[in-house]
Amino acid sequence: MRFTEGIIYDIIVAVQNGCLHFAGKIIAGSVYSLARYVINGGKTLQGTVTISGAKNAALAILPAVLLVDGQCRIENVPDISDVHILLDILKNMGAEVTEKGSVVTIDCSPVRSTCPEAALVRKMRASYYLMGALLGRFGKANVALPGGCNFASRPIDQHIKGFLALGADVDESDDYVALQPGVGGLHGGKVSLDVVSVGATVNIMLAATLLPGQTIIENAAKEPHIVDLANFLNTMGARVSGAGTDTVKIRGVRSLKGGTYAIIPDQIEAGTYMAAVTAAGGNILVQNVIPKHMDCITTKLQEMGAKITSYDDAIRVERTGALRSTTVKTRPYPGFPTDMQAQVCVCMALASGVSRLTENVYETRFFGYCTELENMGADILISGKTAIVTGKDHLHGATVEAHDLRAGAALVIAGLAAEGQTTVEKIHFIERGYENLIEKLTALGADIRRLED
Ligand code: UD1
């Protein structure tokens, strides 16, 4: 059963020592199902979990296929709802798509539309990559503003700055962005981003790949999925260099040809399982990972008391003793990812002593889950962009709501570690980004079920 829900909940805020204490909640999803997870917590995790392909890489690479003449075979594509929505958008536009397990075969040669279905575009965030990809392929695009996780204000001014530098005319109406060539036509250009933005870096790379001349992106994002997109484009014949550094250079080529490409493992999915065993205790092998991508997360979980051993493409995480408090500040890669903020907060809520968690990318992200964790017994005080987390011996089960993808993952971790039963509602957010979560956790010994009304 699916229906549309109202937008805003009440917030009750108590001021204590100049800090804000949350006793309410904000931000509601737009459309959700009544499915929920029921978790009987208190069991340690044991065994092996295999990490799926990276969500954020897949969401950049699938639109990039619009730039390719011919068929691409993309391997290690995660089976998550965001990917299905994106594939539906591409199919609606005329792409020929075949899905078999984690392999997607896709040919965008038949696509003629430059105006993707708005209702689908609004269901997810990364649909804004269609702007860059369509501008690159057709020289024009008319794309609705995206939806997805609204844990903060998420402007796209840096994307627009990039399109303008490439010679585009940009017309932003209330909920659409229309792009077409400016008077001088489209061409390579130089863009210095005012903030390090993953989305803007990806969109400019997509728009520039087939344009004449060289494009230089300064202050570019360095996340693993930026490198993965560059590797995909180069495999198909593009000339992208510098991905993974501050400066990405794209020398325009006339066309890209089809080929085969395998998406990297998901850094955040791996980090979520690592945080889960750190919070709930146990000993698991997280396989199909790139340990280098995990360094920033590994270091913090080790500081908290997890014993972590890295192998070529796997990481073992063991936690038997008590957790210790720590300090975490989120930063763009290679810093600690904002997408792991909520999961590490659960570990802090169970650590002895007082931890400090500072959010430097999306300041309002705490609103998505801190109140819910407090309902489970956590002690969290928000002071500006820092959460001060005083660890407790245990959390207790409660009925809680996911307000966005990573907040929802954190509540699942809290439920696994808590005493008693936890029900996590609005799980459609979680299913946007975690493949087979129930199956993977059950295989690790967790008691978690998905219930539908
Ligand atoms: C991507 C990820 C998301 C992650 C985020 C930060 C995808 C599909 N999503 O989101 O999971 O949480 O990176 O690692 O890859 N900003 C501007 N103007 C812009 C663009 C961004 O001010 O035009 C600001 C944002 O408000 C934010 C910061 O820059 O404070 C970083 O945002 P950005 O890296 O663009 O995030 P997304 O690409 O939306």
Side-chain angles (χ1 to χ4, degrees):
M1 179 177 172
R2 292 165 69 82
F3 59 89
T4 302
E5 199 221 18
I7 301 296
I8 299 177
Y9 287 82
D10 293 334
I11 319 170
I12 303 165
V13 178
V15 180
Q16 201 180 66
N17 300 329
C19 302
L20 298 181
H21 241 303
F22 293 105
K25 50 200 167 187
I26 62 165
I27 309 171
S30 50
V31 178
Y32 70 94
S33 78
L34 283 180
R36 60 198 185 277
Y37 295 153
V38 177
I39 306 163
N40 290 309
K43 294 186 165 47
T44 60
L45 301 179
Q46 312 285 340
T48 299
V49 62
T50 302
I51 299 306
S52 303
K55 162 185 166 283
N56 289 346
L59 297 180
I61 287 170
L62 292 172
V65 178
L66 278 164
L67 302 169
V68 178
D69 285 337
Q71 194 180 74
C72 291
R73 177 185 156 93
I74 315 291
E75 299 172 352
N76 209 25
V77 179
D79 180 6
I80 52 177
S81 63
D82 266 13
V83 162
H84 295 301
I85 296 167
L86 189 51
L87 290 175
D88 283 347
I89 295 174
L90 293 170
K91 281 185 220 166
N92 265 5
M93 295 169 73
E96 289 165 5
V97 178
T98 316
E99 295 166 68
K100 195 170 178 196
S102 64
V103 177
V104 174
T105 307
I106 175 163
D107 186 350
C108 288
S109 316
V111 172
R112 296 288 171 267
S113 165
T114 57
C115 186
E117 169 77 47
L120 291 172
V121 166
R122 291 194 184 106
K123 283 189 176 178
M124 61 182 299
R125 191 83 208 151
S127 53
Y128 54 27
Y129 293 150
L130 294 163
M131 295 178 196
L134 289 170
L135 185 68
R137 159 112 182 244
F138 295 108
K140 60 182 182 172
N142 196 355
V143 182
L145 286 173
C149 284
N150 289 320
F151 46 69
S153 148
R154 300 180 80 179
I156 58 163
D157 57 298
Q158 298 303 303
H159 306 229
I160 303 293
K161 180 178 178 179
F163 298 145
L164 290 169
L166 301 180
D169 251 3
V170 181
D171 183 7
E172 277 186 274
S173 70
D174 283 352
D175 53 0
Y176 267 85
V177 175
L179 305 168
Q180 58 180 357
V183 279
L186 296 169
H187 48 74
K190 188 170 175 178
V191 193
S192 182
L193 296 177
D194 303 320
V195 288
V196 179
S197 162
V198 171
T201 304
V202 168
N203 242 336
I204 298 164
M205 288 168 69
L206 294 173
T209 294
L210 298 178
L211 293 187
Q214 181 173 247
T215 294
I216 300 177
I217 311 172
E218 291 179 341
N219 200 26
K222 298 185 283 234
E223 266 68 4
H225 38 290
I226 301 287
V227 179
D228 211 31
L229 173 63
N231 287 341
F232 165 79
L233 291 169
N234 287 341
T235 302
M236 305 303 152
R239 293 176 64 193
V240 181
S241 58
T245 74
D246 287 335
T247 306
V248 177
K249 293 183 181 172
I250 304 123
R251 174 78 64 186
V253 295
R254 283 183 184 280
S255 63
L256 301 182
K257 291 202 168 25
T260 296
Y261 190 79
I263 288 172
I264 53 168
D266 196 303
Q267 176 208 30
I268 305 299
E269 188 198 13
T272 299
Y273 285 98
M274 291 169 71
V277 69
T278 301
N283 181 343
I284 68 169
L285 185 71
V286 185
Q287 66 181 16
N288 189 36
V289 296
I290 299 175
K292 177 81 192 140
H293 292 169
M294 308 309 301
D295 281 352
C296 40
I297 299 165
T298 299
T299 306
K300 286 298 159 186
L301 297 181
Q302 280 172 326
E303 279 176 23
M304 299 191 79
K307 189 176 156 209
I308 299 182
T309 314
S310 294
Y311 305 100
D312 284 351
D313 62 354
I315 293 182
R316 179 166 295 284
V317 188
E318 183 180 5
R319 206 276 287 173
T320 47
L323 287 173
R324 299 184 290 270
S325 59
T326 190
T327 298
V328 170
K329 296 177 181 174
T330 67
R331 303 245 181 248
Y333 190 82
F336 190 91
T338 175
D339 283 354
M340 280 297 300
Q341 181 224 92
Q343 299 91 314
V344 82
C345 186
V346 178
C347 301
M348 291 174 162
L350 289 161
S352 62
V354 178
S355 297
R356 295 177 69 85
L357 175 57
T358 301
E359 174 55 52
N360 289 308
V361 182
Y362 290 111
E363 284 184 24
T364 51
R365 220 168 173 168
F366 295 124
F367 288 88
Y369 66 93
C370 285
T371 306
E372 307 296 327
L373 285 185
E374 286 190 329
N375 288 340
M376 298 179 73
D379 181 345
I380 305 171
L381 194 63
I382 311 292
S383 173
K385 56 183 188 176
T386 299
I388 299 157
V389 187
T390 304
K392 294 283 189 70
D393 283 349
H394 66 276
L395 299 176
H396 55 78
T399 295
V400 289
E401 284 179 8
H403 294 292
D404 67 63
L405 167 60
R406 306 305 172 187
L411 296 176
V412 170
I413 295 174
L416 295 171
E419 291 176 3
Q421 190 170 84
T422 296
T423 300
V424 183
E425 298 180 333
K426 297 194 183 171
I427 58 169
H428 63 287
F429 281 114
I430 304 172
E431 293 176 350
R432 286 189 39 221
Y434 288 91
E435 177 176 299
N436 293 340
L437 181 69
I438 299 300
E439 291 80 354
K440 289 183 184 185
L441 283 173
T442 303
L444 294 176
D447 181 346
I448 178 168
R449 284 167 298 147
R450 184 185 195 280
L451 297 184
E452 291 264 11
D453 273 339

